[in-house]
Amino acid sequence: MAATKRAGRQRNQLPHCYYEGFLEYRSFEDKASRRLWTCLCGNVLFFFNNTNDNDYVEKLELRDLISLTDDCSRDRNLEAARLILHMEDGEVKITAPSLEARELWKGFIYSVVELSVPSSLNLLPGQIHMMRETVETERARRKTLSPTTTAESSSNLYLSLVGDMPACFQPVSRTEAEMTLERHSDRGNLLIRPSRDGASLAVTTRQDLNGRSVFRHYRVTRKHDGGYAIDVETPISCATLHDVINCLVDKTNGTLTPFIMEGPYEESITFVQANEENGESLQCVHSTPMPPVPVPALPPKPGPRARVPTPEPESDTGVSLYLNDTQKEKKETTLQPAHPSQTPPTRFRLPNKFVVIS
């Protein structure tokens, strides 16, 4: 059930209240509406009989919300404005006291569900500022509840599915998926997207019924033993995400077709060229291979340098012979001439005398 009876938790134990006020509430099980004091705490609507009650009588989990639509049917109160909440298990109708109050409720509900301020509503700057604060507070609250589990599971899921992602995957939210299929109905009516919890995936489909769009959302979870499961009344097991898409296409006899946003690529180069006689015309470039670009020849590498012999220094052509004072014998040494035509002189050193013999 979308709405449940009181769970015994008092108001002071509820999450932070972002917005509150009286609403006429009617679930798909109720026969008549009830005027209840409504508080948006976290991503849950809590309903009280009056403003002073501590125990809520019902609550509505907004994580099961599919979409919001305005109910244009007339009410006995001409200033009242009705709103329909399309939940996974039925519709819930609420009535705000005025059009402005309905826009505010829609804005705050979208803020906690999508974690972003909706741009399609007619809001004042101060109201937009309050919703931005609501988004920041709700993000911080969810991080406090599971500071690492959600981020890690979302990151691990994405990294492990990069190579297994079908072509109809779109990184959009539930509302954006509906808008995408509505705007580009000629490109398919089935896409797969991340789920809100970050740990699973979801398939969104769109079909026409009596002139209006009908959207359906199916949760796809990853099994612990491998593969995936389409969470319907009787779960359907699939080996890969591609098998999930093929299963939905086969079971609907091809009524559902994968959404492919990217169109085919051109096979030739075309351009518009102005012509004085015929005006502008579309020209096609012939697919002729481009001539190879000539590569300039590299200069030859320099060879090894010739080794220049180093001139040797001229050595002494004469050798001096020294005799000690106590040596009595004279030793004579003949030197080889440097040139055959010249004979160098022979030198002897005697005590206290120096003799040169030519």
Side-chain angles (χ1 to χ4, degrees):
M1 293 177 57
T4 59
K5 297 298 179 182
R6 73 172 67 183
R9 191 165 54 158
Q10 295 185 348
R11 184 182 296 190
N12 57 5
Q13 298 175 339
L14 299 178
H16 179 74
C17 181
Y18 301 126
Y19 193 63
E20 57 186 352
F22 275 110
L23 290 175
E24 291 187 12
Y25 170 82
R26 179 181 178 182
S27 69
F28 54 89
E29 295 180 343
D30 296 332
K31 296 181 179 179
S33 299
R34 291 173 293 166
R35 188 172 182 268
L36 302 173
W37 182 257
T38 308
C39 297
L40 176 60
C41 301
N43 59 342
V44 182
L45 286 174
F46 294 92
F47 300 93
F48 303 84
N49 284 323
N50 55 62
T51 58
N52 297 324
D53 281 358
N54 287 325
D55 297 328
Y56 61 86
V57 293
E58 290 194 25
K59 71 174 182 178
L60 185 65
E61 296 278 355
L62 295 179
R63 63 184 179 185
D64 300 327
L65 177 67
I66 297 175
S67 62
L68 292 174
T69 56
D70 295 338
D71 186 357
C72 299
S73 59
R74 292 190 175 183
D75 189 83
R76 61 182 182 274
N77 182 4
L78 298 180
E79 295 183 356
R82 293 180 175 180
L83 182 64
I84 301 177
L85 284 71
H86 301 275
M87 313 300 293
E88 291 186 354
D89 51 0
E91 294 182 351
V92 175
K93 296 182 179 181
I94 60 176
T95 302
S98 63
L99 291 173
E100 181 181 359
R102 183 178 68 180
E103 290 295 292
L104 285 173
W105 277 109
K106 288 167 59 178
F108 279 102
I109 290 175
Y110 274 129
S111 297
V112 298
V113 171
E114 303 292 346
L115 291 181
S116 62
V117 179
S119 58
S120 59
L121 302 179
N122 187 16
L123 301 172
L124 298 175
Q127 297 168 344
I128 295 176
H129 178 71
M130 288 191 300
M131 293 179 189
R132 287 176 179 170
E133 291 182 343
T134 298
V135 171
E136 295 176 359
T137 306
E138 180 63 13
R139 283 178 178 170
R141 185 187 74 87
R142 296 187 186 183
K143 289 181 179 180
T144 304
L145 293 177
S146 54
T148 58
T149 303
T150 302
E152 290 180 356
S153 60
S154 177
S155 176
N156 294 336
L157 176 69
Y158 175 76
L159 292 176
S160 60
L161 298 183
V162 168
D164 196 29
M165 201 65 73
C168 60
F169 173 79
Q170 295 291 326
V172 295
S173 64
R174 180 192 293 253
T175 304
E176 291 171 339
E178 295 179 355
M179 296 174 61
T180 301
L181 293 176
E182 183 82 31
R183 292 174 181 174
H184 307 282
S185 58
D186 58 330
R187 297 184 179 272
N189 56 5
L190 176 152
L191 62 81
I192 188 169
R193 58 177 178 81
S195 185
R196 273 197 206 114
D197 57 10
S200 60
L201 297 167
V203 173
T204 299
T205 65
R206 173 195 173 275
Q207 289 184 284
D208 292 322
L209 179 62
N210 298 328
R212 68 185 185 92
S213 298
V214 178
F215 297 97
R216 291 291 182 265
H217 304 270
Y218 305 95
R219 189 187 303 275
V220 179
T221 57
R222 195 169 190 182
K223 301 168 63 176
H224 295 288
D225 55 350
Y228 304 87
I230 306 175
D231 287 345
V232 289
E233 187 175 358
T234 303
I236 304 173
S237 298
C238 300
T240 65
L241 292 176
H242 296 275
D243 294 334
V244 171
I245 302 302
N246 295 333
C247 175
L248 293 173
V249 173
D250 294 340
K251 288 187 176 296
T252 58
N253 297 324
T255 303
L256 297 178
T257 57
F259 177 84
I260 307 298
M261 187 64 182
E262 189 178 69
Y265 292 100
E266 300 293 338
E267 297 182 356
S268 60
I269 301 175
T270 57
F271 63 99
V272 177
Q273 187 176 29
N275 192 314
E276 296 181 357
E277 297 180 358
N278 302 325
E280 294 180 346
S281 60
L282 190 64
Q283 303 292 328
C284 180
V285 177
H286 298 288
S287 300
T288 55
M290 295 292 292
V293 179
V295 179
L298 297 176
K301 294 183 179 180
R305 295 182 179 180
R307 185 173 181 181
V308 179
T310 304
E312 297 181 357
E314 295 183 357
S315 58
D316 294 339
T317 56
V319 177
S320 298
L321 180 62
Y322 297 91
L323 299 178
N324 295 331
D325 293 341
T326 59
Q327 187 177 1
K328 297 181 179 181
E329 296 182 359
K330 297 181 180 179
K331 295 183 179 179
E332 182 177 333
T333 303
T334 305
L335 302 178
Q336 298 294 332
H339 299 282
S341 59
Q342 296 179 1
T343 301
T346 302
R347 299 175 183 178
F348 292 92
R349 177 182 292 272
L350 296 178
N352 300 326
K353 292 183 180 181
F354 186 83
V355 180
V356 178
I357 300 174
S358 299

